[in-house]
Amino acid sequence: MKNLFFTSFFLLSLMASGQTPDFSWLTGTWTGPGFGGTFEEVWSNPSEDGTMIGMFRHFGEDGTVSFYEFWVLDSTGMKLRHFNEDFTAWETKEEYVSFEKVEFAPGKVILKGLTYEQTAPDKMVISLKMTHEGVTRTEVFNMTRNQ
């Protein structure tokens, strides 16, 4: 009984301590196919509080950029904004797209509608739920970290 109490207390203490999630495995430049072209994600090193910033750019079949995204990932989830190739914003100045935290685990970031999962040291799979004209589907992207 004493061990059960200690274990429960220890686990509750860890949860209450607000430990900083470790997103460092995302750091670097990742590329992969998607949306009829290629895309690239670049993730910063985490700050002291674990926050990361990043950017995405999509290249069409002809190699030109078709759109960008810039984001912040922290302990609450991800906030991002989209931009056209001419850098005009999709969202208004006050708006952004939000993916709320569901769960963080080693090598895995699960957000509402978006999941990043490390499958090997330089491989990850991104799953993105998208709804268009009332139809929801999940797009899966296989990414490789560039050295």
Side-chain angles (χ1 to χ4, degrees):
M1 185 66 141
K2 185 177 177 182
N3 285 341
L4 178 61
F5 174 77
F6 177 78
T7 302
S8 297
F9 179 76
F10 178 73
L11 290 174
L12 288 172
S13 297
L14 281 177
M15 290 176 5
S17 72
Q19 282 189 326
T20 302
D22 182 10
F23 304 130
S24 62
W25 64 272
L26 286 164
T27 301
T29 301
W30 299 81
T31 57
F35 300 127
T38 303
F39 65 87
E40 171 186 58
E41 290 194 358
V42 179
W43 288 85
S44 70
N45 288 317
S47 63
E48 284 188 32
D49 69 356
T51 301
M52 294 180 78
I53 59 171
M55 78 90 180
F56 163 100
R57 59 184 171 174
H58 180 266
F59 300 94
E61 288 182 14
D62 64 357
T64 61
V65 174
S66 54
F67 72 98
Y68 302 95
E69 294 176 353
F70 294 91
W71 62 74
V72 174
L73 175 66
D74 63 19
S75 62
T76 65
M78 180 186 285
K79 295 176 183 145
L80 69 82
R81 293 186 185 206
H82 297 89
F83 298 87
N84 293 311
E85 70 281 352
D86 65 359
F87 212 60
T88 54
W90 294 12
E91 294 84 19
T92 67
K93 188 166 103 172
E94 293 79 22
E95 294 178 318
Y96 54 86
V97 177
S98 180
F99 295 95
E100 296 173 18
K101 172 195 170 189
V102 174
E103 179 184 350
F104 299 138
K108 198 168 195 176
V109 173
I110 303 172
L111 308 169
K112 187 174 181 183
L114 178 63
T115 300
Y116 289 84
E117 184 171 8
Q118 186 176 29
T119 57
D122 291 323
K123 301 282 184 187
M124 80 168 151
V125 173
I126 302 171
S127 299
L128 171 65
K129 284 188 180 177
M130 299 177 58
T131 302
H132 182 70
E133 297 180 357
V135 177
T136 301
R137 70 179 195 281
T138 301
E139 292 286 335
V140 177
F141 307 102
N142 294 294
M143 307 294 289
T144 301
R145 187 188 340 251
N146 300 335
Q147 298 300 332

